Amino acid sequence: MRAQLMWRTLPSLVLGLLFLSTPVMGSCLDKDQELLRQLQKQADIMQRTSMLLHPYIQSQGLDKDGLKEHCRERPGTFPSKEALQRLSRQELLRALDTMLDHVLHRLMALQRDIPKAQDLETVNRAKQNIRGFKNNIHCMAQLLPGSSERTEPAPIGPGTSPSPTPTPDTFQRRLEGCRFLHGYHRFMHSVGQVFREWAESPSRSRRHSPRRGLRKGARRVPLSRGNKRLLPRGQLPR
Amino acid sequence: MALFSVSKTAFLLAFLSLRTYQSEVLSEPLPWAPESLKVSVNTTSQCLHLQWTVHNLAHHQEFRMVFQIEISRIKTSNVIWVENYTTTVKWNQVLHWSWESKLPLECAKHFIRMRSAVDAAKTPGPRVWSSWSSWEEADVQNSLGQDPLFVFPKDKLVEEGSNVTICYVSKSHQNNISCYLEGVRMQGEQLDPNVSVFNLNHVAFIRETGTNIYCKPGQGDGIKGTVLFVSKVLQEPKDFSCETQDLMTLNCTWDPGSDTGLLKQLSQSYTLFESFSGKKILCKHKSWCLWQVAPESQDMYNFTLTAENYLRKRSVHLLFHLTHRVHPMAPFNVLFKNVNATSATMTWKVHAIGKYYTLLCQVELYGEGKVTQHNVSVKVDGVHLFSGLEPDTEYLAQVRCANGNHFWKWSEWTHQNFTTVEAAPSEAPDVWRNVKIVQGRCVVTLFWKPLSKLQAHGKILFYNIVIEYLDRTSGSEVLSIPAPASGTELPLNQCSSQIRITASNSVGTSPASVLVVSREPGNEEVEEERVKGTEDGFPLSWNPQPRHVTGYLVEWCEQPRDPPCDLQWKNLGPNVTSTVVSSDAFRPGVRYNFRIYGISTERVPCLLARKTGYSQELAPSDNPQVVMTNLTSHSFTLSWKNYSTESQPSFIQGYHVYLKSKAGRCHSGSEKAVLSDDAVCCKYKIDNPEQKTFVVENLQPESFYEFLVTPYTSVGEGPHDAFAKVTTPDEYSPTLIRILLPTVFCILLIMITCYLKSQWMKEKCYPDIPDPYKSSVLSLIKSKENPHLTIMNIKDCVPDSIEVLNKQEGTRKSFTETESTKPTYLYLLPTEKRYSSPGPCICFENFTYNQAASDSASCGHVPAPPKAPPSQLGLLTSPENLLKALEKNYMNSLGEIPAGETSLNYVSQLASPMSGDMSNLPKNPPEPALCSEYKMQMAIPLGLASPPSSGSSSLSSITLLDEGERYH
């Protein structure tokens, strides 16, 4: 039990430390390499099911054989990895921001069905993580070219409506919440992978390379160099 | 009788006519039948709501009517419910009635119809019903939607332990649908081909978020389910009470009981209703609520507290007068004034409650393990004087208050500490002494016990000691010993003195303790008595002193084995003659010695009694170290004189001597004993603990014994651990030793005596022959420097015969007569007739002697058999001669014949080196009677002597010596 609590608390602590260097207070880190690394780490932590999904399953009694198998992401709720890869970097960041807004909205709805303070605290920590991640996205978007231009939300293929209408039935709402959280963790995993691809192949999307998108006067370190040190070439996280 | 028959017939006719009338009425429709029946379904509450009207009522007409309602399920013929609903019906009234279905209404169609009748409960006879209304259908399934599967009811809230019916509705005509309750499959019954029902009895609370029930087809992902919220039963609030602290606000509290265990939005709520004012508030908290009091407008309150949730409502009531529920706030500003050694004044303030209320305050004082309590009436300020306090003592004072007019509750306590100031010690220190004489001087060791807190009245800083010598010539001495010392050693100038001890703190000095010391040790001859300790201690008693004493004192050592012994004492009054000395330091198996003194009026202690004892006697743990002495073949002695009976864990009553032997017989004075290891031995008992020797007797010689000496006490004897082993010696060995040793000694003495005598005889009878080479004659010759003058050397002499003269004596005559009538010759030179007859004799002529070789002047001829050793000579064949022949071994190499047999007259004195030193002569000289006669030897001039003839004589002489050596 203690180990489980520690397993839940430690990532939050790490995220908290990460947020200290993020533009929570209004100032962004001007090192895109550093920022991208932070986004990767945040996505790695947010993809862990122990952060949200597992506590939710336990509190709602969904951890039963024949039931937990149905706690799977419904296709279309969150964009697939391929859909994310197809987006330009600006589009991806905008899509991420939009998706995470929906997630926040949905988490607030889920909180109403959570009676225990401990589980509520888990959801609150997850919401803080999402807000921190959104801040970093905001900063990263500013480092990309054309960031000053406000564009429409990017089309992210099938399943662009991540918020299905909640059913009034508690059981269905519970099951949908579980599926939603499952999709959320999968989505964050995909986001982390896409961020890694950004770091490993900066030339793949040369048009929107952060290197090219550096604003004038700002000192930048190429993302590819910095991330080669973090992840050897060819080694992709699962 | 006839009259009775007529009246009976008339009654029957009247009854029949009435029945006929009623039949006619019933055959007609009732004018007040239910009309416009409408049925609606509430799936949340699973209720059917019925609504209808009754027409044809007059404007002000009211009837009490009964409506009979029938409900059928699935089909009209399957009536599942019939109920008579009675109500008063007015003109143009819409009537309502509800029915809650156990089965979810979505699971099956329901049909409802009703009829009515005038409630004629006061009218005898059967009720006349209207005709039935048409069947109204309630079908929810039509509005379910297009999903293939549904599970009902949705989100139902039930209490723990209730029964619930679950159903599923399948629209895909699948028959292999399975349903589960928290993962456990449920078994249901089929209501129709698309509907199955599951009855859950006594549902249990599982979690706050409800119980998951779900169904899924055998194929596909169409899982559907519902959540059953099971609530614990709402409990009635307990201990509902309201009180006020300031007559402004009422604080009502209660115990809500166990939680229902539901989500917050489903949890119960509490409302407070006051009937006199008609006010009602919804409480924000589960266990308390605040009610604002209208000032001076209402004294009585009647509260109703209602706990309510979706399933149940519970209420409790409370009626009270406001002033009877005053719970004052805790006093404040508690202070102490005028604090001295024995008193202090306490003041405090209270919160005012209206203008006319008096508070009753309770003051408690804790100190020195005691509690005192006082009640004080207070309007605003409270004052109380504490007296009789102990100096230098910390006290805890606390105060609380309640309504003095109508007691309801005490306020909370308000605490405050204070400490009284110090005072002079009130008691003299308890002092005792130990007097000893060291090098003629009295040395007093004083001991005192620290004053108790109640006696010291403060921190003792030092002890004052004043020594006053009683002869008034030595003056006095004053000492000051800093605390916390508990004793000191004082060498006195003289023994007779009076010592005064006082204790001082920062305020003053205590009364003095007085001790008188004298040189006389007191009555040390008092006999020691034994005392038996008990669980309570040592009971000691003594005889009262005939002369006046001011008290008694008992002295003992708590650590008698460890010096210093931790001297303790106990003062007792003059009328006390017994006491019990107890101490936690008393240990079993330790001997404690008590001395009881009588303290005279002059403060001189006099020893009255000595007691010794054990708080608990223990069996000896060690046996004496035994030394065995005087071991004989029949006895031995055991001794353990070093064994101290004083330092044993119990009083030694004597000793047991165990003796093991193979024989196993026990002699008188002993008895057989069987040891713990089943060994049998003899036990001797010694009753005197001071007898530390024992003689074990009646033993068998050359026998093995084991023995053990162990002390015995009233609680047992020592351990039977190691037996010592001993084997008795042989019976005759000592006797033999006693005989043999003196005999050997005597023989040795005789031998020594004989030797000394022989030496003496030798000196007297045959002194040593002087060495010619050492003669003074040689120096004379040398002085004349004549190299030719020398002593005749044997090599210069050519002997031709030796004459042996035998002197016949005594019993030897026969021998003489037969053989020794003629001289015996030894033929030294080879002759032709050597083997046949005596050959030419070799004569030695010693010219150094002025006397010829004896008076015979002839050389001795010794017959020399060619091969036979001398032992084969007839001379040695007899036993007498054997000894003489042995003695011959001690003769020198000159081939002397034993003197007893022959008298050898030296013809020539050989200058052999071997004969030169007479010290090499045998120890056994010849008997004086047989001794040869030696003449004074003198050197003669060379001309008087014949020169030595040849060197061969020397060879012959050596040969002779060799032969003589061989015979030895």
Side-chain angles (χ1 to χ4, degrees), chain B residues 643-809:
Chain B
Y643 186 69
S644 171
T645 57
E646 303 291 324
S647 58
Q648 302 308 316
S650 55
F651 290 117
I652 303 298
Q653 295 179 343
Y655 305 95
H656 286 153
V657 179
Y658 290 96
L659 184 70
K660 285 185 191 174
S661 66
K662 288 184 178 177
R665 281 192 313 164
C666 296
H667 295 279
S668 62
S670 67
E671 59 184 13
K672 278 198 172 182
V674 179
L675 301 178
S676 57
D677 57 353
D678 295 333
V680 179
C681 59
C682 300
K683 182 170 78 173
Y684 299 88
K685 187 174 184 181
I686 302 171
D687 293 329
N688 182 9
E690 298 306 321
Q691 178 187 334
K692 298 178 181 177
T693 60
F694 183 74
V695 179
V696 182
E697 296 175 316
N698 300 320
L699 305 179
Q700 295 296 322
E702 293 186 281
S703 297
F704 177 73
Y705 291 94
E706 291 180 272
F707 63 87
L708 172 73
V709 178
T710 181
Y712 71 89
T713 66
S714 61
V715 292
E717 57 182 18
H720 294 171
D721 42 11
F723 276 64
K725 299 174 177 58
V726 64
T727 302
T728 53
D730 183 12
E731 187 175 10
Y732 302 105
S733 296
T735 308
L736 287 174
I737 289 171
R738 281 199 295 271
I739 295 172
L740 282 178
L741 281 176
T743 305
V744 170
F745 178 75
C746 290
I747 290 172
L748 284 173
L749 190 64
I750 291 169
M751 290 177 66
I752 292 169
T753 305
C754 290
Y755 173 72
L756 292 175
K757 190 175 180 181
S758 66
Q759 288 294 320
W760 179 77
M761 287 294 294
K762 180 181 176 186
E763 288 291 331
K764 295 298 182 185
C765 297
Y766 50 96
D768 291 337
I769 299 171
D771 188 354
Y773 284 96
K774 297 176 181 176
S775 174
S776 58
V777 177
L778 284 177
S779 59
L780 183 62
I781 293 172
K782 287 177 181 174
S783 63
K784 291 181 179 179
E785 296 178 353
N786 188 355
H788 301 291
L789 289 177
T790 180
I791 297 174
M792 183 191 71
N793 200 329
I794 190 141
K795 62 184 180 184
D796 300 329
C797 179
V798 181
D800 54 356
S801 66
I802 297 173
E803 181 183 0
V804 178
L805 298 178
N806 290 328
K807 190 178 285 183
Q808 302 298 323
E809 288 183 1

Side-chain angles (χ1 to χ4, degrees), chain B residues 811-888:
Chain B
T811 57
R812 312 277 175 94
K813 279 183 178 178
S814 59
F815 180 76
T816 306
E817 288 173 356
T818 57
E819 296 183 6
S820 303
T821 52
K822 293 186 285 188
T824 304
Y825 295 93
L826 293 175
Y827 297 96
L828 301 178
L829 296 176
T831 59
E832 293 178 0
K833 299 178 181 177
R834 183 176 176 179
Y835 299 105
S836 59
S837 60
C841 138
I842 300 172
C843 292
F844 291 93
E845 289 185 6
N846 191 350
F847 296 104
T848 60
Y849 292 95
N850 59 353
Q851 186 180 359
S854 80
D855 293 338
S856 63
S858 60
C859 298
H861 298 271
V862 178
K867 294 180 180 177
S871 60
Q872 295 176 354
L873 294 175
L875 188 62
L876 301 176
T877 52
S878 66
E880 295 79 7
N881 292 337
L882 176 60
L883 182 58
K884 291 167 185 169
L886 289 172
E887 290 175 351
K888 185 181 173 183

Side-chain angles (χ1 to χ4, degrees), chain A residues 58-70 74 112-116 168-175 179, chain B residues 151 154-155 180 182-183 207-214 216 220-227 229 262-265:
Chain A
Q58 284 195 339
S59 72
Q60 303 299 314
L62 300 175
D63 51 343
K64 300 289 185 293
D65 290 337
L67 190 56
K68 58 187 176 186
E69 292 81 0
H70 295 273
R74 281 198 165 175
R112 288 196 290 269
D113 294 332
I114 296 175
K116 285 186 179 177
D169 174 6
T170 302
F171 181 80
Q172 287 303 118
R173 195 167 65 241
R174 185 171 290 179
L175 210 54
R179 288 165 176 162
Chain B
V151 179
K154 296 291 184 188
D155 304 339
Y180 301 86
E182 289 291 321
R207 68 177 73 84
E208 291 181 30
T209 53
T211 303
N212 293 318
I213 300 168
Y214 51 95
K216 56 184 180 179
D221 193 22
I223 184 170
K224 293 289 180 179
T226 184
V227 177
F229 292 97
L262 284 177
L263 294 172
K264 190 174 181 181
Q265 54 269 31

Side-chain angles (χ1 to χ4, degrees), chain B residues 328-334 346-351 359-362 378 380 382 398-402 410-415:
Chain B
M329 285 187 277
F332 64 100
N333 203 17
V334 176
M346 174 181 172
T347 64
W348 68 93
K349 292 182 181 300
V350 294
H351 296 274
L359 292 181
L360 173 67
C361 292
Q362 194 175 59
V378 174
V380 178
Q398 60 181 12
V399 58
R400 62 179 180 179
C401 300
W410 288 109
S411 69
E412 296 298 316
W413 288 105
T414 301
H415 310 270

